[in-house]
Amino acid sequence: MRSLAVASPVPTAAAHRRRLRPSASGREVISQCLKCEINQDRPLGALRLGGNLPRHGSKNLLTPAAAAVSVEQVEVSTYLPKGDMWSVHKFGGTCMGTPQRIQNVADVVLGDSSERKLIIVSAMSKVTDMMYSLVHKAQSRDDSYTEELDKVFEKHMAAAKDLLDGENLARFLSQLHSDISNLRAMLRAIYIAGHATESFSEFVVGHGELWSSQMLSYAVQKSGASCSWMDTREVLVVKPSGPDMVDPDYVESEKRLQKWFSRQPAEIIVATGFIASTAENIPTTLKRDGSDFSAAIIGSLVRARQVTIWTDVDGVFSADPRKVSEAVILSTLSYQEAWEMSYFGANVLHPRTIIPVMKDNIPIVIRNMFNLSAPGTVICKQPANEDADLDACVKSFATIDKLALVNVEGTGMAGVPGTSSAIFSAVKEVGANVIMISQASSEHSICFAVPEKEVAAVSAALHVRFREALAAGRLSKVEVIHGCSILAAVGLRMASTPGVSAILFDALAKANINVRAIAQGCSEYNITVVLKQEDCVRALRAAHSRFFLSKTTLAIGVIGPGLIGATLLNQLRDQVAILKENMNIDVRVIGITGASTMLLSDTGVDLTRWKEEMQKEAKPADLANFVRHLSEDHVFPNKVLVDCTADTNVASHYYDWLKKGIHVITPNKKANSGPLDRYLKLRTLQRASYTHYFYEATVGAGLPIISTLRGLLETGDKILRVEGIFSGTLSYIFNNFEGTRSFSDVVAEAKEAGYTEPDPRDDLSGTDVARKVIILARESGLRLELSDIPVESLVPEALKSCSSPNEFMQKLPSFDQDWARQRHEAEAAGEVLRYVGVVDVLNGKGRVELQRYKRDHPFAQLSGSDNIIAFTTSRYKEQPLIVRGPGAGAEVTAGGVFCDILRLASYLGAPS
């Protein structure tokens, strides 16, 4: 048993209230309060909790001058066991938020098969904030503190009535009434004084943990389990180590824990988190996040098998899930990785929480109280069985926003000892927190990041400190760059894995992110970069996507879900799973827009039912909003617009999209065959950035025409002539215009089969072929306008003015005789008719015309709607290089677009 040795009579509450004179100074009032503990006319500590719960008022926790606790010096009869028989659990405020949740916690505790269990709990959800608010309102002389205190009382009384019954409920409510009465008097003293000392405030604030832990202890006892309640102020001893920081005194704490356990040995101990005492027995707290710290300290004291932190998330995420919805739960983290992540703002643990367990190699497990099936994240010594590949070496990404970069620069800095010391001494004097430092090896400049709210003071201090150096020109400037953020990549294995930095910076570059400063310590546990704050989320997503999703993740917006667009969407539907499994390419269609409606998704449209969703969930089409959704409202860094229309207006936006960092893929010929200056501007932008523009399907549908031409040029070949049958429609017509068949019949057959446009004159005019010729001419280096290409139209002059396709088709037979004559003349010469486009590179010309070819010519060997293109070059002069295959139809055109999507993925890092 402990005896209460009272140094002086303990005043009652009534006596204390009589002493609180309104005229007394704030310092006098607080002094009076610190000399006594008030408990409704009873000395604090007189009330026993009963059972095996010690009194949390069992010793003077305000000042040793008023009262002191002496523990009888008896031989310790019960030895405190240490080691793997102990498991430590910490339950946060959310876990303890309601009576039912407290009962759930009790069930989890009882379900743990460990031989001994130590349970650390936080106050009920929001209670700590309420207690801080009480102190703040009281010292601000805000009368509403009394109402707030009533709310605190009612919250705990209601919780106890729901959770407990019988004698346990009566004991708890009695203690609660006593504590609230004490707090009411203490807060009244603070109100009168208009001031609260730190120890006084922390005594008030710590009551939330006292109440929640007592309720849990009683709830565990209901099952008949052996359970003791511990007020950790009797055990944990800490000493101040800085502003809002304390360090545990492990030696003294271990002694006190041994003495406590000798009096109250139990298989289950429920203890208060957050609160502790100084060496002088003055109550204090472990500051914010203190309950986690409590669990780590006690886990270290008993050499526990593991410390489990129960919270409301499934574990530690690879990135902030509010910014990266694709963030994944990490199965393991090393102590150092968790430490680094905590420093850079990741919601893991406070760095100090890791210190106590790290020295004894005690694992910390982060678990979700509301999803017991989730295994959580284990924080431990570096796991030896992890694969040291590029994906495993980077564990997490974290960001810090609202920073400013301070750059101190000048030739007078180089080789001058003490410059850095002078800079950071000035920063220290204004109390600013330096987040990151980077210095050029030339010593010409040094830059560092500080919180935006502190940069004005830092800048002013540096200008004062270096006034003479700036005036003399030894320093050229002290520059402040506002609106910055930090992105940190964290991973213990980065130190032993070559290429991590290259991959990170490559991912940022391909997402059009500019890096302003870089820092990496020799330990290589993290790489830190400073970016524009507006780019930070995009950079985070780009880096995370590169290391945690597939090697390449593409967010695609499809414009024009017509024949080609719909076919492409169906091809994607059938292939996306295979691409992800076999090639590590993750394709997400996050938007589809037609002329009147559009469908948007943040994570990806379900391609198995996109047509139904277009009907049910579509919004009115708005191209600007569609593009904005793609560029801003999703989580994927690589954005692609696929234009499956033939719309000139849509094509006119390509330049702006590319400038925004959106890749463009299209079968639409309008941009590349439009005004020359616009085309050149487009290609110049493409070459100057990491943004890609692919248009293979504009010339040969699914045939590799553009890529073949580029391959020849890039390998040093010289293009002399490109000649080909570029229209699948006209290829079909002239391949079937033979024997006795009339021209009009063949055109009608092609229209019926879907080879022609709704108005066949669009094909017969030759304009489409001319556009393909101008595209190839420009790719070959010729600067030609579409108007420079002479085109032989197959539409009779008299029929150009027909008001409708039907009228045209009705009048076309009247020209069959002319066509029959041309065919007969060709056949008589052993030739066939073919409609071709020609790029004469040597003479800088192009043309589209009807020509005759010998029957043994490759162009005469075609069938169906095949296209054929012949490249005559310096290397292929005697025998042209020929590309042949289907050149019309939705399947092959969509396939050509799909190939461009995969080509883009390859450029962005997908395996070839």
Side-chain angles (χ1 to χ4, degrees):
M1 293 292 293
R2 292 172 293 174
S3 61
L4 186 65
V6 181
S8 58
V10 180
T12 64
H16 184 83
R17 285 192 292 271
R18 286 194 296 272
R19 293 178 183 175
L20 297 180
R21 307 184 310 275
S23 60
S25 70
R27 187 176 298 276
E28 290 172 340
V29 171
I30 294 299
S31 177
Q32 293 172 33
C33 290
L34 289 174
K35 290 180 180 176
C36 59
E37 292 173 340
I38 305 166
N39 191 350
Q40 286 191 313
D41 295 331
R42 292 190 298 275
L44 184 63
L47 179 65
R48 296 294 298 266
L49 293 177
N52 56 8
L53 290 176
R55 341 179 262 272
H56 75 248
S58 61
K59 61 181 176 181
N60 188 341
L61 289 166
L62 289 179
T63 172
V69 174
S70 94
V71 179
E72 295 178 1
Q73 300 298 316
V74 296
E75 194 71 28
V76 175
S77 58
T78 304
Y79 176 73
L80 172 67
K82 296 179 182 179
D84 287 353
M85 77 281 294
W86 286 102
S87 94
V88 175
H89 296 263
K90 178 265 175 179
F91 295 91
T94 308
C95 302
M96 301 286 292
T98 65
Q100 182 58 54
R101 290 182 180 180
I102 296 174
Q103 183 58 55
N104 294 343
V105 168
D107 294 340
V108 169
V109 171
L110 294 168
D112 181 357
S113 59
S114 300
E115 183 180 341
R116 294 184 179 276
K117 290 162 276 192
L118 237 163
I119 316 303
I120 312 296
V121 297
S122 299
M124 293 181 72
S125 180
K126 306 299 182 185
V127 167
T128 300
D129 289 338
M130 294 171 75
M131 302 302 284
Y132 274 115
S133 176
L134 284 174
V135 175
H136 175 72
K137 287 185 175 183
Q139 66 183 1
S140 301
R141 293 190 169 122
D142 181 344
D143 290 327
S144 67
Y145 81 88
T146 58
E147 297 173 8
E148 290 295 313
L149 183 61
D150 290 339
K151 290 179 183 178
V152 171
F153 171 71
E154 290 164 5
K155 180 182 180 77
H156 288 85
M157 180 176 66
K161 288 181 177 179
D162 281 351
L163 182 66
L164 308 175
D165 53 28
E167 187 178 351
N168 285 346
L169 174 61
R171 289 172 178 170
F172 178 81
L173 291 180
S174 176
Q175 185 65 51
L176 179 65
H177 277 285
S178 175
D179 291 343
I180 293 294
S181 178
N182 288 341
L183 289 173
R184 197 178 302 278
M186 292 176 185
L187 291 167
R188 177 62 182 169
I190 294 172
Y191 178 90
I192 294 171
H195 171 74
T197 64
E198 182 179 357
S199 59
F200 207 79
S201 298
E202 293 192 332
F203 182 77
V204 173
V205 169
H207 276 74
E209 279 70 19
L210 293 169
W211 297 325
S212 64
S213 57
Q214 286 180 47
M215 283 192 285
L216 176 60
S217 181
Y218 282 128
V220 172
Q221 285 182 24
K222 282 196 304 183
S223 68
S226 170
C227 177
S228 293
W229 175 76
M230 176 194 291
D231 180 348
T232 49
R233 293 176 299 184
E234 299 181 30
V235 172
L236 294 188
V237 179
V238 297
K239 48 192 174 185
S241 58
D244 266 345
M245 289 184 64
V246 293
D247 286 336
D249 183 337
Y250 290 100
V251 174
E252 181 62 26
S253 297
E254 190 168 359
K255 289 179 182 177
R256 295 195 181 192
L257 178 60
Q258 173 65 72
K259 291 176 182 178
W260 186 95
F261 188 82
S262 70
R263 297 190 303 270
Q264 301 191 70
E267 294 178 358
I268 302 173
I269 299 173
V270 177
T272 55
F274 183 54
I275 57 177
S277 294
T278 66
E280 296 78 23
N281 293 331
I282 296 175
T284 187
T285 68
L286 300 178
K287 317 308 174 189
R288 286 291 187 178
D289 298 313
S291 293
D292 289 351
F293 197 18
S294 301
I297 296 169
I298 290 178
S300 174
L301 294 177
V302 300
R303 310 297 190 270
R305 174 175 52 85
Q306 73 177 36
V307 174
T308 304
I309 307 291
W310 293 89
T311 179
D312 55 359
V313 294
D314 286 346
V316 179
F317 283 92
S318 56
D320 187 340
R322 295 168 298 182
K323 298 177 180 177
V324 182
S325 65
E326 302 291 319
V328 299
I329 297 293
L330 302 173
S331 58
T332 60
L333 277 176
S334 70
Y335 296 121
Q336 292 88 346
E337 287 166 339
W339 198 329
E340 294 279 353
M341 291 168 62
S342 299
Y343 177 79
F344 286 104
N347 188 19
V348 186
L349 296 169
H350 194 282
R352 63 182 181 168
T353 303
I354 300 167
I355 297 172
V357 294
M358 186 175 174
K359 64 187 180 68
D360 295 311
N361 285 334
I362 300 171
I364 298 178
V365 184
I366 311 296
R367 294 282 306 275
N368 189 348
M369 182 64 197
F370 307 103
N371 182 15
L372 299 180
S373 62
T377 299
V378 179
I379 301 173
C380 57
K381 189 177 180 181
Q382 180 181 359
N385 59 346
E386 284 192 356
D387 295 330
D389 57 31
L390 288 175
D391 294 332
C393 66
V394 176
K395 281 296 188 69
S396 177
F397 293 91
T399 59
I400 305 176
D401 293 327
K402 298 180 180 178
L403 301 178
L405 196 63
V406 181
N407 181 43
V408 182
E409 188 174 311
T411 55
M413 293 173 58
V416 179
T419 304
S420 296
S421 173
I423 291 172
F424 293 110
S425 293
V427 174
K428 181 183 177 182
E429 287 174 4
V430 298
N433 180 28
V434 177
I435 308 295
M436 187 211 81
I437 303 170
S438 179
Q439 182 174 15
S441 58
S442 65
E443 302 183 45
H444 176 70
S445 67
I446 185 168
C447 67
F448 54 93
V450 296
E452 187 82 61
K453 62 184 179 182
E454 298 173 358
V455 74
V458 169
S459 178
L462 290 174
H463 277 91
V464 170
R465 177 65 62 89
F466 295 105
R467 183 188 299 113
E468 293 181 3
L470 287 166
R474 295 193 303 276
L475 286 186
S476 57
K477 61 181 175 181
V478 175
E479 178 187 18
V480 174
I481 303 171
H482 295 278
C484 294
S485 291
I486 277 179
L487 168 66
V490 175
L492 193 61
R493 293 187 181 272
M494 289 176 6
S496 58
T497 309
V500 178
S501 297
I503 291 172
L504 172 62
F505 291 115
D506 182 61
L508 295 178
K510 287 177 177 175
N512 263 2
I513 303 295
N514 183 42
V515 175
R516 288 184 163 175
I518 304 166
Q520 181 176 17
C522 60
S523 67
E524 297 187 58
Y525 292 160
N526 82 71
I527 301 172
T528 305
V529 296
V530 180
L531 318 155
K532 290 181 182 178
Q533 184 164 319
E534 63 198 58
D535 293 336
C536 188
V537 173
R538 188 155 52 95
L540 175 63
R541 292 169 180 171
H544 186 274
S545 170
R546 178 60 183 82
F547 284 95
F548 280 92
L549 301 182
S550 69
K551 286 290 187 299
T552 306
T553 303
L554 302 179
I556 295 178
V558 176
I559 304 172
L563 185 58
I564 294 173
T567 305
L568 173 65
L569 289 167
N570 291 335
Q571 290 178 355
L572 290 170
R573 174 199 64 203
D574 297 338
Q575 201 67 15
V576 286
I578 298 172
L579 289 174
K580 191 169 185 179
E581 178 69 24
N582 296 343
M583 299 181 67
N584 216 3
I585 299 173
D586 189 2
V587 175
R588 309 286 185 97
V589 176
I590 64 167
I592 304 170
T593 184
S596 57
T597 60
M598 65 181 182
L599 176 65
L600 305 179
S601 170
D602 288 332
T603 57
V605 173
D606 181 357
L607 295 181
T608 62
R609 51 189 307 273
W610 68 268
K611 290 183 180 178
E612 292 89 332
E613 291 187 11
M614 280 289 285
Q615 294 176 346
K616 294 179 181 178
E617 302 177 25
K619 303 176 180 178
D622 184 317
L623 189 58
N625 286 339
F626 183 80
V627 174
R628 190 176 302 114
H629 168 76
L630 184 76
S631 60
E632 298 175 2
D633 298 341
H634 64 89
V635 301
F636 310 110
N638 300 312
K639 300 169 285 291
V640 190
L641 277 167
V642 179
D643 174 20
C644 293
T645 72
D647 194 306
T648 302
N649 179 58
V650 174
S652 69
H653 292 287
Y654 291 177
Y655 181 85
D656 293 332
W657 297 341
L658 290 168
K659 201 167 183 180
K660 289 180 179 178
I662 302 174
H663 308 286
V664 176
I665 294 173
T666 184
N668 186 346
K669 294 177 278 292
K670 299 298 174 62
N672 285 12
S673 62
L676 178 62
D677 59 341
R678 191 174 296 175
Y679 165 81
L680 294 174
K681 186 179 177 184
L682 198 59
R683 291 302 309 277
T684 300
L685 175 63
Q686 178 197 3
R687 294 188 185 102
S689 70
Y690 278 95
T691 310
H692 298 284
Y693 172 42
F694 293 140
Y695 43 87
E696 184 69 75
T698 57
V699 175
L703 297 180
I705 307 303
I706 299 292
S707 57
T708 299
L709 177 57
R710 283 191 177 177
L712 293 169
L713 291 169
E714 289 168 1
T715 58
D717 204 352
K718 183 178 181 181
I719 307 298
L720 304 177
R721 180 185 179 90
V722 182
E723 183 177 7
I725 297 172
F726 296 105
S727 168
T729 302
L730 296 175
S731 177
Y732 179 88
I733 289 172
F734 284 102
N735 288 338
N736 288 277
F737 181 46
E738 56 185 8
T740 60
R741 299 193 67 182
S742 68
F743 186 77
S744 61
D745 283 344
V746 176
V747 173
E749 181 182 89
K751 185 175 186 297
E752 183 67 24
Y755 286 117
T756 73
E757 295 292 335
D759 189 339
R761 286 175 295 181
D762 293 340
D763 297 293
L764 297 173
S765 69
T767 302
D768 185 64
V769 176
R771 289 189 180 279
K772 295 179 180 180
V773 168
I774 199 68
I775 291 171
L776 291 175
R778 289 173 176 178
E779 290 290 316
S780 301
L782 301 183
R783 298 197 170 193
L784 299 177
E785 294 283 6
L786 186 59
S787 58
D788 295 330
I789 306 296
V791 179
E792 181 181 350
S793 175
L794 303 182
V795 180
E797 192 65 35
L799 300 187
K800 289 181 179 179
S801 60
C802 289
S803 60
S804 68
N806 287 338
E807 182 185 354
F808 168 76
M809 291 302 297
Q810 289 171 5
K811 294 182 177 180
L812 185 59
S814 61
F815 294 87
D816 282 345
Q817 190 173 353
D818 292 339
W819 280 108
R821 178 181 51 78
Q822 291 189 59
R823 179 180 63 193
H824 177 72
E825 291 174 355
E827 288 175 348
E831 296 173 338
V832 295
L833 297 175
R834 294 293 184 261
Y835 194 74
V836 297
V838 179
V839 179
D840 185 351
V841 180
L842 285 177
N843 295 308
K845 297 179 180 179
R847 62 184 184 275
V848 177
E849 60 190 6
L850 185 66
Q851 283 195 8
R852 289 159 41 170
Y853 292 90
K854 293 293 184 182
R855 286 193 175 275
D856 60 354
H857 193 280
F859 286 16
Q861 309 300 315
L862 294 184
S863 61
S865 61
D866 280 4
N867 282 7
I868 186 169
I869 295 90
F871 295 94
T872 303
T873 72
S874 296
R875 294 174 188 161
Y876 298 94
K877 187 179 292 185
E878 304 300 326
Q879 183 94 14
L881 174 63
I882 291 178
V883 179
R884 172 181 170 174
E891 286 291 336
V892 293
T893 304
V897 175
F898 200 162
C899 284
D900 273 347
I901 292 173
L902 297 182
R903 185 176 294 112
L904 173 63
S906 178
Y907 273 60
L908 295 175
S912 58

